[in-house]
Amino acid sequence: MAKLSGSKIIVECLLEQGVDTVFGYPGGAILNLYDELYKYQDRIKHILTSHEQGAAHAADGYARASDKVGVCLATSGPGATNLVTGIASAYMDSIPVVAITCNVGNNLLGKDSFQEVDIAGIVMPVTKYSFIVRDGNKLADTIRRAFKIAVSGRPGPVLIDITKDVTGDSFEYEYKEPEKVKPQVSVTEEEILNTISLIRGSKKPFALVGGGAILSDASEELRTFVSKVDCPVADTLMGKGAFDGSNEKYTGMVGMHGTKASNLGITECDLLIVIGARFSDRVIGNAKKFAKNAKILHIDVDAAEISKNIKADYSLIGDARLILRKLNARLDPVHHDEWVAHIERLKDMYPIKTNKSNLTGEYIIETIDEKTKDDTIISTEVGQHQMWTAQFYKFKNPRTFLTSGGLGTMGYGLGAAIGAKVAMPDKTVVNIAGDGCFRMNMNEIATATRYDIPIIQVIINNHVLGMVRQWQNLFYGKRYSQTILRDKVDFVKLAEAMGAKAKRVTTKEEFDEAFDEALKSNTTFVIECEIDSDEKVFPMVSPGAAISDVFDEKDLKINPIK
C-alpha cells in the first residue's frame, strides 16, 4: 500500500480498468488531475476536444465502436454542465461512459463559489448513478464502483464529481484487479419451455431487434434463432447491424420512417418477438394499434421496460445473448414458408427506391454503402440524413452504426466519429451530417486535424433544417418558420481553415470522385454536398397514427394530408 495524491489515484484507477484513452478539456478545478495526466502521457492518451460536449460524444462513440467504457473529463461549473447533453445521449441509448468532473474545494462547496455547480445533482436523472467524492479515502473504491455500474445489467453513464482538495491531498492506495461483471439471466427452465411452445404455436412470427442485441453481442445467436424460427426480421434505429441488413429475412427499419414491409408485417403478425428494444414512440406510433393481432414476447435485460409502453404477454428478463442461447439449444427448426413468402411479396410491392436522377441524399448514402467495406463505421447527426442512412446503408455488422437514437442530439455524430476512429484506427469512419447539425459542433474538425484523425465528414447541405421543414411542409401549411439556413457560411473554407481537406460537390459524378479521394486520402476530409431543399424522407407515419398507416409520395398524391 502506498500513499498517493488523489489525482494519481484517479489515473492509477483508470489504468486498473484498462483505460488507455480519455477525452476532455481542462480548467482550474481539474488542474491537479491534468498535471498528473501529463506525467502519464505515455500510458494514457488524452484527446483535447474543442468543446466539452464533443468530449462526451467522443467517449460515447469510443464505447459504441469498441465495447469498452468511454471516459470524458471536464472541470467545474460550465465545463461540467457542457457534458450534460452528451451524458443524456449516452443514457438514452444505454452506452457505458464514465464522466469525471472536479469541483471546488470542500471548504467552498455550497457558497456559490466561482465555477461551482452541483453537477452530481444536475445529472441524476440522466445517469445510472452520480457520485460526489469529498473524502479521498473513498476515491479509489468510488471509481471502481462507477466502472462496474456503467457496464452492469443495462449499461449507461456514471458521473464522478471530485472536490479539488481531494485531487491534491494524499491518501492510501492499493492496486486491485477490476471486478469482472458477468451478464445476468433470471429465466427459469419453465419459462424457456413455455416460450418454445409459444413459438411453435405461431403461424406468423416476426422478430423486432433493438440496440440491446448489439450491447449484449448477440448477433451470432440472433442469426441462429431467426433461422430456427424461420421469421422475417425488422430493426429499430438502435438495432441496426445486429442482424445483417442484406439477409433475405431482413425487412428494414420499423416505425415512423420504417419500410412498409416492416410496418405492415408487424401489424399482421400473430407473434412479435422483441429482442432488446424499448418500444419507443417513434417505433410504435399509435400504441393502441401497434401489433394488435399479435402476442408480444419481450426479451430485455431491464425488467422496468416490460409492459412500460406496450403490454407484453410474455417476457424473458436477462442478457439477450444468453437467453437466445438457451432458446436455440432447446428449439428445433420450424417452418413458415407461406408467411415468409407473404412478407417477401410486401418487400417486392413496396421497395424503398433511390432517386438517382441527380445528387440526392438517398444517392449519397447508397453510394457510400457501395464504396465502403462491411466493417466501416458510420456515424450520423440527427434528421433527414440520419433516416436516409438507416434506410439506404446496409449495415451488416454490429457496432458499425453510431447515432443518437433516444435523445436525438444534433451535433452528436462528429464527436462520436472521432471517438470511434481513436478506438478502431484500422477502420474507415464516416460521419454523415445535415448542414443544420454540422454547425452545432463543427469546431470538432479542429480536434480531428490536431491529432491527424482521418475521418470522412459528409455534409448533406439542403440549406434548411430538413426534417423540421418536412413536418412544416406536410403538417403546418408550408409555414417555414426559422428553418431556412440560406446564409453566407462556407463550410469548405471553414474546414480548410481548421486544417482539413474539403470539397464542395453538386453532381453525382463530383460526389463519386470526391468520396473516392477521401477514402484514399488518410486525412480529415470534408465533403459538402448541395442537394434540393425540398427532398423528403419516405415512407413516413404521421405523428399519432398507426404504423400500418405508413405512406409514401405516391400515397400522398392519392390522399393528400389536409
Side-chain angles (χ1 to χ4, degrees):
M1 189 174 288
K3 203 160 191 179
L4 306 178
S5 71
S7 293
K8 196 176 181 86
I9 290 172
I10 295 170
V11 179
E12 287 292 338
C13 285
L14 291 177
L15 290 171
E16 277 181 15
Q17 299 296 325
V19 174
D20 55 18
T21 304
V22 296
F23 305 87
Y25 205 98
I30 202 171
L31 204 51
N32 290 332
L33 175 54
Y34 269 82
D35 188 55
E36 202 62 50
L37 284 169
Y38 181 87
K39 303 168 189 174
Y40 279 78
Q41 59 188 294
D42 60 330
R43 300 178 69 187
I44 293 182
K45 183 177 184 178
H46 181 281
I47 301 293
L48 175 66
T49 55
S50 299
H51 189 282
E52 290 91 353
Q53 185 176 332
H57 293 325
D60 175 305
Y62 181 96
R64 294 194 202 216
S66 67
D67 193 21
K68 298 178 182 177
V69 177
V71 179
C72 57
L73 313 175
T75 195
S76 63
T81 58
N82 281 343
L83 292 178
V84 173
T85 297
I87 291 171
S89 297
Y91 180 76
M92 290 290 282
D93 292 344
S94 305
I95 306 304
V97 169
V98 170
I100 298 174
T101 57
C102 290
N103 216 322
V104 299
N106 265 299
N107 63 322
L108 295 175
L109 283 177
K111 299 181 178 180
D112 292 333
S113 303
F114 177 67
Q115 291 193 334
E116 179 196 358
V117 71
D118 178 14
I119 190 61
I122 288 171
V123 302
M124 195 176 294
V126 292
T127 53
K128 288 187 72 178
Y129 208 97
S130 61
F131 299 91
I132 179 166
V133 181
R134 302 179 64 174
D135 179 357
N137 294 303
K138 299 178 180 178
L139 179 58
D141 284 341
T142 299
I143 295 171
R144 292 162 183 150
R145 187 180 170 199
F147 274 83
K148 181 180 179 181
I149 291 171
V151 299
S152 298
R154 181 177 183 171
V158 178
L159 179 130
I160 314 167
D161 192 33
I162 307 164
T163 59
K164 186 170 183 178
D165 53 309
V166 167
T167 66
D169 294 343
S170 295
F171 308 94
E172 296 291 337
Y173 165 79
E174 184 176 11
Y175 173 84
K176 288 186 179 180
E177 284 287 332
E179 188 177 344
K180 286 185 168 51
V181 177
K182 294 182 179 180
Q184 299 297 313
V185 175
S186 58
V187 299
T188 65
E189 182 71 9
E190 183 181 7
E191 287 175 318
I192 292 294
L193 293 175
N194 287 341
T195 300
I196 290 172
S197 178
L198 178 70
I199 292 169
R200 295 191 68 82
S202 168
K203 294 182 179 179
K204 297 187 290 185
F206 207 114
L208 175 59
V209 182
I214 293 173
L215 294 170
S216 64
D217 294 321
S219 292
E220 184 178 339
E221 288 77 8
L222 176 62
R223 283 193 298 271
T224 301
F225 179 74
V226 168
S227 176
K228 287 195 168 193
V229 176
D230 189 30
C231 66
V233 183
D235 54 24
T236 68
L237 184 68
M238 296 307 304
K240 293 213 153 286
F243 190 78
D244 185 348
S246 64
N247 188 288
E248 61 182 9
K249 294 285 177 60
Y250 180 68
T251 62
M253 189 169 64
V254 68
M256 180 168 281
H257 292 290
T259 64
K260 285 191 174 184
S262 292
N263 285 2
L264 296 176
I266 285 175
T267 303
E268 295 176 22
C269 74
D270 65 5
L271 174 63
L272 183 61
I273 306 166
V274 182
I275 303 162
R278 58 186 180 84
F279 293 110
S280 159
D281 57 298
R282 290 297 175 97
V283 167
I284 64 175
N286 187 322
K288 293 179 180 178
K289 298 180 179 179
F290 179 77
K292 59 185 179 181
N293 300 311
K295 293 179 180 178
I296 306 291
L297 167 62
H298 194 175
I299 299 171
D300 205 283
V301 73
D302 187 355
E305 289 298 337
I306 305 302
S307 296
K308 184 177 82 175
N309 297 328
I310 293 292
K311 185 181 182 307
D313 299 287
Y314 305 88
S315 62
L316 297 173
I317 309 300
D319 180 81
R321 179 175 59 172
L322 297 185
I323 289 175
L324 290 176
R325 280 183 182 175
K326 286 178 176 289
L327 290 172
N328 290 340
R330 304 297 296 269
L331 180 63
D332 293 325
V334 290
H335 299 285
H336 301 101
D337 297 343
E338 187 176 336
W339 169 239
V340 171
H342 170 66
I343 297 299
E344 279 299 312
R345 286 193 293 272
L346 289 180
K347 289 166 63 177
D348 292 338
M349 288 169 61
Y350 305 117
I352 297 183
K353 294 181 180 179
T354 310
N355 179 2
K356 296 185 177 182
S357 60
N358 54 359
L359 187 65
T360 63
E362 301 163 348
Y363 175 83
I364 291 166
I365 303 303
E366 201 164 73
T367 301
I368 293 172
D369 183 31
E370 292 169 357
K371 290 179 178 291
T372 52
K373 298 177 181 178
D374 291 349
D375 66 349
T376 297
I377 296 172
I378 303 291
S379 63
T380 75
E381 308 294 345
V382 172
Q384 287 181 316
H385 65 276
Q386 179 191 33
M387 295 297 102
W388 285 323
T389 303
Q391 291 175 337
F392 292 100
Y393 196 98
K394 294 181 178 65
F395 293 95
K396 299 180 177 67
N397 297 302
R399 301 192 181 278
T400 56
F401 182 47
L402 319 181
T403 196
S404 177
L407 196 64
T409 304
M410 294 174 69
Y412 164 84
L414 181 51
I418 290 170
K421 185 64 178 179
V422 171
M424 313 298 286
D426 294 332
K427 293 188 178 183
T428 300
V429 177
V430 182
N431 182 49
I432 300 168
D435 49 318
C437 289
F438 181 64
R439 64 184 66 211
M440 291 278 186
N441 279 329
M442 60 188 175
N443 51 355
E444 297 303 337
I445 291 292
T447 304
T449 57
R450 179 187 300 120
Y451 294 99
D452 294 321
I453 300 172
I455 59 170
I456 301 172
Q457 169 67 64
V458 176
I459 308 166
I460 300 179
N461 188 354
N462 54 9
H463 298 282
V464 294
L465 296 177
M467 187 59 85
V468 185
R469 179 184 176 89
Q470 178 166 330
W471 281 46
Q472 289 173 331
N473 182 284
L474 295 174
F475 310 119
Y476 289 85
K478 299 184 180 181
R479 296 182 294 277
Y480 301 123
S481 176
Q482 304 304 317
T483 51
I484 298 171
L485 305 178
R486 290 198 174 274
D487 47 30
K488 298 179 180 179
V489 176
D490 188 325
F491 292 134
V492 170
K493 287 182 179 179
L494 277 169
E496 290 175 341
M498 288 187 278
K501 189 160 187 179
K503 285 197 170 183
R504 180 180 294 108
V505 301
T506 60
T507 68
K508 296 187 297 181
E509 293 75 20
E510 288 175 345
F511 177 73
D512 290 357
E513 183 180 329
F515 195 76
D516 286 341
E517 184 179 348
L519 285 171
K520 297 174 184 175
S521 68
N522 199 36
T523 189
T524 308
F525 202 113
V526 177
I527 307 173
E528 180 187 5
C529 310
E530 299 264 3
I531 70 165
D532 186 84
S533 297
D534 281 314
E535 273 201 54
K536 295 181 177 64
V537 179
F538 289 113
M540 185 177 185
V541 176
S542 297
I547 62 170
S548 56
D549 294 330
V550 58
F551 63 87
D552 55 24
E553 285 180 287
K554 189 183 297 184
D555 298 321
L556 273 182
K557 291 176 182 177
I558 300 170
N559 295 304
I561 293 174
K562 298 177 182 179

